[in-house]
Amino acid sequence: IWKYLEHAMSTSRLLRLAVVALLCSAAAAGTKNAAGYNVADYNVVWLTPTTEPGKNEAGQATYAGGMPVGNGDAAVLAWPNVTAGGVQFYVAKADAMALDTTLFKLGMMAVTLSPNPFKSGSYFNQTLDLASATITVLAGGSSLDDYSVAMSIWVDANSNTVYVEVESRDAANVFSIDVQLWSVRPLQPFEYDFPFGCVSKAQSAPDHVVETLPSGFPAGSLVMYHRNDPVTDGGDYFEQTLTQQGLAQLIPQLTPHAWTNRTFGLSIDGWAGAQPGSPLNRTSPTTLTSAAPGSQFTVRAVLLTNQTATADLWLAQLAALVGTQSELGRELSSDLHQDWWQAFWERSYIAISAGQSSDTFLISQQYAITRYVQAIQARTAWPIKFNGMLFGANMPDGGTAPDSRDWGASNWWQNTRLPYWNMLPAGDSDAFAKVLDYYVAMLPFASARTASYFNHSGIFFTETKTLFGAFAPQDYGCGRQPGSYPVWLEQNEYIHLDYGGNAGGPEAGLMALDYYLYSGDAEAFERYLRIATLSIDFFRQHYPNRTGPANDTYVIWPTQALETYWCDWPATLENCCVDDMPTVAALHSLLDKLLALPPQFSTAEQRATWVQFQSQLPALPMSSDGTLLPARVVSPGTHNDETPELYAVHPYRLFTVGRALTANVSLDGAIKAFSQDPNAMSNTGWNQGIMDAALLGMTAQASRMVTERAQQAPAPGYRFPGFMPHMQDYEPSADHLANHNSAVNWMLLQPGDDGFEADTVVVFPAWPCEWDVAFKLWAPLNTTVELVYASGVLVSLDVVPPERKSALVFANC
């Protein structure tokens, strides 16, 4: 083993990574932390090629062998092409959107070797090295001792640059390479029929392949881009959506918006040997070839999205970016990339074991993979796309299959929120903050809409919204007749009166408060706090009906309890929910936390208003024995499989082990509600019973559910274990394993939710004590808890800062 490691250190970074990744199980002892953790233990390694093509749930052909790499914005789904002899991949970017906000891939690339290394022997290895966010493919020969060629792909953590590195094990073994670039959409103007559009014709100009290179690009470069233009793309979707929803008067104050003239694309170049080396030749606008055979080649793709007045300005910006990357150099980029990922993995970890059980290893591996998959998409202004993320693997079909996904371009908050709930305990507050930035960007629109529709202040949303906050046009009503509904009401009854449950405003407000609770970042919190305060402003002014002995208790009506209990329009007290649990719980939770904030974050007038509103809130809906209910009055019939009564547990944390310990809250009514609702036992996709079980300290239930989720096979048409089936979304689903990670976090560590100055930390609130574990997680007040627990004994405990150790309460083990 050490002979191979010594050989690796004497060659390129590529072979160092390739050999160390392959030998991780044997060599990891040298890179484990003090608790014995090494993320390389959870690498994804395949020793046989994937059978291509795969078939997804709908029967579409896919590239089944794709593995993901990325940097939080730019992303690649890469697979070996054994037949042609090389690697092939989709290039994506989180902000590469058509005029109607549909995500468009930037293109597809292939790096092909001649002679084909896969035909020079039977050895094959495809590894995703989590520690360095690098895919490595070894081809040829009969074993690690004599493989022929190594190919690696990584996306620079600090710039939107993709590197493909190809190198022979033996410098005497030379080969030639070709680099191909393809558009994955039609080459002529085209229409596409992705769902939830309907205000504009879904059409687009094709991608632009640059025939003659502008000045500033390396001579051997390929350049392709897509540019949004309302003239060619069916009109201005933003303006058409606002007009559809009776808000045309807001257009002047909300434009220019983020999608007109948005241009996205890439420049590709490469070289033989060490940089700058011998440049690859541009033999066509979509092809590069090596000038002569060699033993080492690098291909680089630089990605850019921006809004510019002209395409020429965008091209000049891309050329300047390529120049900047060339000045920085690949070696320094690689070093800084490694530093970023090392710091990422040092923030937190979880490693579980239980005798000879493989289940606990699988839980640990899926935890690491899921945290990685989220990280490589979550550093932009746009939330992780719940329905397929950036990694849809549909093969080109002459149409738009690579960009297609069920549920379209808008965000479904019930789904979109879920990856973010596991980030603060993992120490990923930088990624968590991005979803708050997204909400802050929507505040001007949301505030103006409320004033226009209701003549009062505040913000509201419903579950399915465009990226700028408007109703999803199809939910608002494509064939809507004037006067059939109030202008402020969607036609889709599943969501039309839900402002407090799956809508997003109150929950995002709670997330803002959690951001401050965990990070202590007061400067950022000043911006995010408005999500919570404006949400409270809306509910305080929106519901005029009162009840109670003094006729001053708010009546939340008309409303609904998520998508499960709703009424047709017009609403009546007989057919529509009253005081739904999600909204009432949200208001209690938000006001409790707002009033607990340090005084610098609010005025005396605000606090007085909040105190009065809090005193007028309806009670949480419960039965006579204290069992939580979906609403005080429940509309007839059920329409979905959610658990609105348990929103008092997650997301609003009124009933948790932490609250039981710090505020003497009884959990009996919540546990009864869980036990009586079969939907709480559902354990796929966005179903949140797994998180409720963890928060309520239901150890046996929670451990069973996280095990079930970790055991879930990948989606049809996908081999990568972090790509979950369609379930309620689209494959690969972002929700299924996100909830797994949240539950594992809360089984180990929960906040006491007893203030912003000395918040209690509950350790092992739902942990099966027969499971050994080493972990490092983050707790409130910028606290880390790192411990090792084995054979029923606390082996080690380290709390930073040390004075926070007194805040720990051990609840179970």
Side-chain angles (χ1 to χ4, degrees):
I1 290 170
W2 298 112
K3 173 182 68 177
Y4 300 135
L5 287 175
E6 183 179 4
H7 168 74
M9 299 306 174
S10 68
T11 58
S12 71
R13 172 185 178 277
L14 164 66
L15 288 183
R16 292 201 304 271
L17 287 173
V19 175
V20 172
L22 282 169
L23 295 175
C24 65
S25 59
T31 54
K32 291 181 184 292
N33 66 14
Y37 181 85
N38 181 8
V39 72
D41 291 341
Y42 305 117
N43 285 352
V44 179
V45 182
W46 299 334
L47 299 178
T48 57
T50 303
T51 300
E52 304 284 10
K55 292 286 185 182
N56 69 10
E57 186 176 292
Q60 296 168 296
T62 63
Y63 294 108
M67 287 180 171
V69 287
N71 67 359
D73 180 10
V76 162
L77 182 71
W79 57 92
N81 188 329
V82 175
T83 302
V87 290
Q88 196 166 328
F89 51 95
Y90 280 137
V91 184
K93 205 164 179 294
D95 58 2
M97 302 176 195
L99 194 60
D100 68 348
T101 74
T102 294
L103 279 170
F104 274 6
K105 288 182 169 63
L106 273 65
M108 183 163 63
M109 291 177 58
V111 177
T112 306
L113 285 60
S114 181
N116 183 342
F118 295 107
K119 294 184 177 179
S120 64
S122 60
Y123 187 69
F124 175 93
N125 185 295
Q126 181 182 350
T127 294
L128 172 62
D129 180 46
L130 294 169
S132 63
T134 301
I135 299 167
T136 298
V137 178
L138 304 184
S142 59
S143 68
L144 177 61
D145 291 0
D146 66 348
Y147 70 85
S148 175
V149 172
M151 297 164 271
S152 74
I153 305 172
W154 52 285
V155 180
D156 183 11
N158 302 294
S159 72
N160 288 319
T161 305
V162 180
Y163 285 98
V164 183
E165 299 171 340
V166 186
E167 188 168 356
S168 289
R169 180 178 181 83
D170 184 346
N173 177 28
V174 297
F175 52 89
S176 301
I177 71 164
D178 290 314
V179 180
Q180 291 285 333
L181 171 64
W182 297 279
S183 170
V184 298
R185 287 172 289 277
L187 302 180
Q188 303 297 325
F190 61 94
E191 297 182 7
Y192 55 97
D193 188 25
F194 299 160
F196 293 88
C198 91
V199 297
S200 61
K201 191 172 184 180
Q203 64 186 39
S204 176
D207 295 335
H208 299 267
V209 175
V210 174
E211 300 285 341
T212 303
L213 286 175
S215 61
F217 288 97
S221 295
L222 311 178
V223 179
M224 184 172 73
Y225 65 92
H226 187 95
R227 182 169 173 82
N228 296 341
D229 184 344
V231 175
T232 60
D233 295 356
D236 190 308
Y237 175 78
F238 177 89
E239 295 184 5
Q240 290 168 334
T241 300
L242 266 60
T243 300
Q244 179 212 29
Q245 296 170 19
L247 300 170
Q249 72 278 11
L250 302 183
I251 291 172
Q253 71 190 71
L254 297 172
T255 52
H257 58 77
W259 293 275
T260 295
N261 296 330
R262 177 175 288 260
T263 308
F264 46 88
L266 69 169
S267 170
I268 302 167
D269 65 335
W271 53 88
Q275 192 178 17
S278 175
L280 301 181
N281 291 333
R282 185 179 194 258
T283 55
S284 82
T286 58
T287 308
L288 301 176
T289 61
S290 51
S295 61
Q296 179 185 0
F297 293 92
T298 300
V299 178
R300 174 181 66 177
V302 179
L303 285 51
L304 176 66
T305 301
N306 208 353
Q307 283 181 280
T308 57
T310 66
D312 287 343
L313 284 174
W314 182 87
L315 286 166
Q317 292 176 355
L318 179 61
L321 191 59
V322 172
T324 298
Q325 286 304 110
S326 295
E327 291 175 7
L328 182 64
R330 189 202 65 82
E331 289 299 327
L332 181 55
S333 294
S334 173
D335 290 343
L336 296 174
H337 170 86
Q338 296 271 33
D339 290 345
W340 192 94
W341 280 103
Q342 180 178 345
F344 173 82
W345 291 114
E346 287 175 353
R347 290 180 196 168
S348 66
Y349 61 88
I350 296 175
I352 312 165
S353 62
Q356 299 301 310
S357 171
S358 61
D359 291 337
T360 50
F361 175 86
L362 191 57
I363 293 168
S364 305
Q365 182 182 44
Q366 289 290 44
Y367 186 93
I369 288 172
T370 301
R371 184 170 171 239
Y372 165 83
V373 169
Q374 293 177 174
I376 61 177
Q377 303 175 86
R379 294 171 70 192
T380 74
W382 310 106
I384 296 170
K385 200 74 179 76
F386 72 94
N387 48 341
M389 304 186 281
L390 293 177
F391 302 115
N394 294 346
M395 286 184 170
D397 62 351
T400 55
D403 296 319
S404 66
R405 62 186 76 224
D406 286 355
W407 307 113
S410 294
N411 276 330
W412 273 220
W413 178 247
Q414 180 189 33
N415 317 60
T416 300
R417 63 191 173 127
L418 296 173
Y420 294 91
W421 275 112
N422 59 58
M423 290 182 180
L424 287 176
D428 301 330
S429 58
D430 53 342
F432 182 89
K434 293 300 182 181
V435 80
L436 302 179
D437 290 334
Y438 164 67
Y439 267 88
V440 168
M442 292 190 292
L443 293 183
F445 165 79
S447 298
R449 175 175 64 175
T450 299
S452 177
Y453 281 168
F454 303 119
N455 198 32
H456 63 71
S457 61
I459 60 169
F460 79 100
F461 301 98
T462 57
E463 181 189 349
T464 64
K465 50 184 164 289
T466 66
L467 293 187
F468 44 89
F471 302 124
Q474 188 162 319
D475 285 331
Y476 188 73
C478 294
R480 185 177 175 120
Q481 297 300 313
S484 58
Y485 288 82
V487 67
W488 49 266
L489 186 68
E490 292 172 284
Q491 277 188 313
N492 185 347
E493 297 96 337
Y494 278 83
I495 60 175
H496 65 167
L497 293 170
D498 180 11
Y499 301 149
N502 287 335
E507 185 172 352
L510 176 62
M511 294 169 92
L513 289 156
D514 272 3
Y515 177 81
Y516 177 66
L517 175 66
Y518 276 76
S519 72
D521 183 350
E523 182 179 355
F525 180 60
E526 291 276 8
R527 299 195 311 275
Y528 303 147
L529 177 58
R530 292 183 296 148
I531 306 169
T533 58
L534 288 170
S535 294
I536 289 296
D537 283 350
F538 174 84
F539 287 96
R540 183 177 61 82
Q541 299 172 79
H542 190 67
Y543 296 98
N545 295 329
R546 302 289 184 270
T547 189
N551 201 37
D552 64 351
T553 300
Y554 276 72
V555 178
I556 307 299
W557 176 90
T559 187
Q560 62 189 85
L562 310 181
E563 296 182 20
T564 299
Y565 301 99
W566 51 257
C567 61
D568 293 320
W569 189 260
T572 68
L573 286 169
E574 289 74 32
N575 79 341
C576 216
C577 288
V578 178
D579 294 346
D580 64 292
M581 175 64 88
T583 299
V584 176
L587 297 175
H588 278 280
S589 180
L590 281 178
L591 287 167
D592 283 350
K593 293 179 184 301
L594 286 170
L595 288 167
L597 283 171
Q600 71 263 29
F601 293 115
S602 60
T603 66
E605 182 180 1
Q606 279 180 308
R607 291 192 293 275
T609 300
W610 296 339
V611 167
Q612 181 180 6
F613 187 28
Q614 185 182 49
S615 71
Q616 296 175 294
L617 289 179
L620 297 173
M622 299 182 186
S623 67
S624 58
D625 68 354
T627 303
L628 305 186
L629 298 175
R632 180 162 65 88
V633 177
V634 178
S635 59
T638 59
H639 306 280
N640 206 337
D641 301 323
E642 300 153 312
T643 53
E645 67 276 19
L646 293 173
Y647 271 52
V649 181
H650 175 78
Y652 296 117
R653 295 205 311 272
L654 297 175
F655 297 90
T656 66
V657 174
R659 294 282 291 164
L661 290 174
T662 62
N664 201 31
V665 171
S666 172
L667 303 185
D668 291 347
I671 293 173
K672 283 181 182 178
F674 185 104
S675 301
Q676 293 172 11
D677 190 338
N679 293 329
M681 310 298 178
S682 297
N683 198 26
T684 60
W686 51 246
N687 284 293
Q688 67 178 47
I690 185 174
M691 295 183 287
D692 296 325
L695 287 166
L696 291 171
M698 302 173 69
T699 301
Q701 185 75 27
S703 58
R704 179 184 65 79
M705 295 177 91
V706 297
T707 301
E708 287 177 354
R709 291 219 177 203
Q711 291 171 336
Q712 173 64 55
Y718 294 79
R719 186 179 180 184
F720 184 68
F723 288 165
M724 290 291 100
H726 186 297
M727 297 179 183
Q728 308 95 338
D729 303 330
Y730 190 69
E731 66 273 358
S733 167
D735 298 347
H736 185 83
L737 290 175
N739 286 0
H740 166 275
N741 278 30
S742 293
V744 174
N745 287 340
W746 285 325
M747 290 168 69
L748 287 167
L749 219 60
Q750 288 182 28
D753 285 314
D754 52 343
F756 290 88
E757 296 179 357
D759 197 88
T760 299
V761 181
V762 185
V763 185
F764 296 142
W767 195 250
C769 299
E770 66 273 17
W771 286 6
D772 296 347
V773 65
F775 74 82
K776 177 183 179 181
L777 290 172
W778 291 70
L781 307 190
N782 211 21
T783 302
T784 60
V785 178
E786 188 170 12
L787 65 77
V788 176
Y789 171 85
S791 302
V793 175
L794 185 64
V795 177
S796 64
L797 173 65
D798 184 31
V799 179
V800 178
E803 58 269 22
R804 287 281 289 150
K805 189 173 182 179
S806 62
L808 269 59
V809 175
F810 285 79
N812 193 27
C813 301

